[in-house]
Amino acid sequence: MDSKSKKILVIIPAYNEEKSISKVIKSLFDSGHKVDLVVVDDGSKDKTSIIAKESGAKVLKLPFNLGIGGAMQTGYLYAKKNNYDVAIQLDGDGQHDPLYLGDLITPLLDGRSDMIIGSRYVAKTEYQSNVSRRIGMIFFSTLVTLLTGNPIKDTTSGFRAVNRKIIDYFADNYPSDYPEVDVLIRLHKKKFKVMEVPVEMKERQGGTSSITPLKSIYYVIKVSIVLLINSIRTGALS
Amino acid sequence: MIINIYILSIIFSVAFLALVIELVRKNKLSEKYSLLWILFGLTILLLSVSPFFIERISSLINIKYAPSVLFIFGLLFLIVYSLQITIVVSQQSKKIIRLTQEITIIKEKLESSSGIQVDSEEKATDNSLGESEAG
């Protein structure tokens, strides 16, 4: 419960988010949580890193685009090197509300779980999503439930907090492609505990989603294959 | 005609072997990856010397049209070798990602602790990388 003695890092992965990044940083500072912030600029071609720096954030600027997996891992590596106890992913597009940070941090510090996912679907929230996206979410949720026995609803949510054990693990093992769903299987294999808490998500405040409707079917197939392969990698995930 | 094609393939395999060895000598191809190609070159050379080997092999595995032995083994070799190359590429991309992450963290530390700005220089590399990526 005592979050003052714990070092907490918020990692914002951002790729071409110049329109929303300052708002996200401001809302994080305004939320009053005692946390450190690092923005991982994933090789943006716009002014993301300049704006983030002006807004008072520490910026890790990757020289070129690594993708969300590589960018997030940079954040976890930074968290590990600087001895953080908790690392939280907060997307740079403004979908995640920093007001919910406490809800993610508290169960983690209580030791109830190793990873907390801020979930859109645990309780009724205002978040609206289209039908095809919804079908994909249900599909992944069912698949993850089957493979791990853990009924996680919002498997693609990027709003997540992890403890030190997982920071160390992620610093060395984080999938570069489609990490959100994939890590759930990996963590299950490694016997980490994953839990969801309800959050409300807002509409994107700029930029475009990494998952466009055209690519979504392709995405679903690829992720499913990755998941199935991971689930037969008998504990040898390193 | 038969003599011609055999001479041609002997010339080709010798030239190919010479090219591989030259590439290794000039450090353009690492020894590790040259072995398979040298083996490949020697096999072609052996097969070019006389039709005896191909005919022997094809009768052994019951293939009526001898040259198709060449096609099937050539094809298999290429498939296996492309798989090998994809493995190498995967390993390299993993290493590149880790290097990029480490450098980015070190760069930030350097800039924040000593005030050294790597930005102006960084801009130039940024653009070239962006272009090569888009292309």
Side-chain angles (χ1 to χ4, degrees):
Chain A
M1 283 301 278
D2 182 22
S3 60
K4 273 158 206 145
S5 59
K6 297 285 183 185
K7 281 180 81 180
I8 298 169
L9 178 71
V10 171
I11 303 165
I12 301 184
Y15 178 56
N16 294 341
E17 304 280 14
E18 63 179 5
K19 289 193 186 105
S20 56
I21 193 77
S22 69
K23 267 185 248 164
V24 175
I25 293 170
K26 192 176 179 301
S27 67
L28 174 67
F29 288 153
D30 288 350
S31 73
H33 291 94
K34 240 195 117 207
V35 295
D36 291 340
L37 165 66
V38 68
V39 171
V40 182
D41 178 2
D42 193 9
S44 296
K45 295 188 177 73
D46 62 7
K47 290 181 181 162
T48 301
S49 59
I50 297 170
I51 293 173
K53 257 181 216 165
E54 284 171 1
S55 310
K58 190 169 266 224
V59 177
L60 298 175
K61 184 172 168 33
L62 291 163
F64 46 85
N65 185 257
L66 289 186
I68 179 69
M72 268 318 291
Q73 194 178 36
T74 311
Y76 289 123
L77 193 63
Y78 178 87
K80 184 188 175 185
K81 284 180 192 284
N82 294 284
N83 295 314
Y84 279 96
D85 299 296
V86 173
I88 301 159
Q89 175 180 351
L90 182 79
D91 281 355
D93 58 16
Q95 280 190 82
H96 305 153
D97 190 341
L99 282 176
Y100 288 97
L101 281 182
D103 294 2
L104 268 71
I105 297 168
T106 308
L108 207 62
L109 293 181
D110 289 350
R112 272 187 276 158
S113 188
D114 298 306
M115 177 196 258
I116 311 291
I117 302 174
S119 173
R120 278 160 281 197
Y121 306 124
V122 168
K124 284 227 155 92
T125 63
E126 282 175 17
Y127 186 81
Q128 298 290 316
S129 57
N130 61 42
V131 178
S132 68
R133 198 183 171 98
R134 196 103 192 163
I135 291 170
M137 304 290 102
I138 291 168
F139 176 78
F140 282 137
S141 175
T142 311
L143 197 59
V144 168
T145 307
L146 282 173
L147 293 174
T148 68
N150 189 355
I152 298 167
K153 292 263 183 340
D154 197 352
T155 55
T156 56
S157 164
F159 198 15
R160 309 174 157 195
V162 300
N163 65 10
R164 197 177 194 140
K165 277 191 284 177
I166 296 190
I167 291 175
D168 287 352
Y169 177 70
F170 279 173
D172 291 323
N173 312 272
Y174 201 71
S176 54
D177 306 305
Y178 335 112
E180 289 87 1
V181 196
D182 193 356
V183 294
L184 298 177
I185 311 290
R186 291 177 185 235
L187 292 178
H188 170 72
K189 287 264 170 189
K190 285 282 165 187
K191 304 206 161 45
F192 287 114
K193 269 192 279 177
V194 179
M195 206 179 93
E196 280 181 298
V197 296
V199 297
E200 279 175 40
M201 288 202 192
K202 296 184 261 184
E203 294 296 322
R204 309 177 53 88
Q205 296 181 358
T208 50
S209 169
S210 54
I211 309 163
T212 61
L214 272 174
K215 290 181 186 160
S216 59
I217 291 173
Y218 190 40
Y219 174 85
V220 166
I221 292 168
K222 279 202 279 194
V223 174
S224 306
I225 291 169
V226 170
L227 291 186
L228 291 172
I229 289 176
N230 269 341
S231 66
I232 57 170
R233 268 206 257 205
T234 48
L237 274 178
S238 59
Chain B
M1 281 307 273
I2 281 178
I3 291 166
N4 272 344
I5 189 66
Y6 279 97
I7 287 173
L8 271 179
S9 31
I10 288 171
I11 292 172
F12 172 79
S13 20
V14 171
F16 183 78
L17 276 170
L19 177 67
V20 172
I21 290 163
E22 179 65 7
L23 285 171
V24 177
R25 206 179 62 80
K26 280 188 176 168
N27 285 325
K28 287 187 175 171
L29 178 64
S30 67
E31 290 87 347
K32 198 166 89 184
Y33 303 120
S34 70
L35 293 178
L36 251 174
W37 287 120
I38 291 173
L39 207 68
F40 178 73
L42 287 174
T43 313
I44 304 181
L45 186 61
L46 189 72
L47 296 177
S48 319
V49 173
S50 136
F52 170 77
F53 297 103
I54 287 190
E55 276 160 16
R56 191 87 191 89
I57 294 167
S58 58
S59 72
L60 264 178
I61 52 177
N62 235 347
I63 291 178
K64 294 203 175 68
Y65 181 60
S68 57
V69 172
L70 279 183
F71 294 132
I72 188 79
F73 282 108
L75 206 63
L76 283 177
F77 175 82
L78 288 180
I79 291 171
V80 171
Y81 209 78
S82 342
L83 185 63
Q84 149 84 0
I85 289 170
T86 343
I87 293 169
V88 173
V89 169
S90 309
Q91 289 168 342
Q92 287 184 342
S93 92
K94 238 184 188 170
K95 287 178 188 168
I96 292 170
I97 288 175
R98 177 40 53 108
L99 280 174
T100 312
Q101 294 169 334
E102 296 273 359
I103 288 173
T104 302
I105 291 174
I106 292 169
K107 203 173 72 184
E108 195 280 329
K109 208 173 179 183
L110 192 74
E111 286 184 1
S112 64
S113 67
S114 66
I116 298 169
Q117 283 293 322
V118 217
D119 262 2
S120 53
E121 197 190 345
E122 192 190 327
K123 282 263 162 60
T125 42
D126 261 357
N127 292 337
S128 64
L129 271 162
E131 273 159 26
S132 67
E133 211 184 0

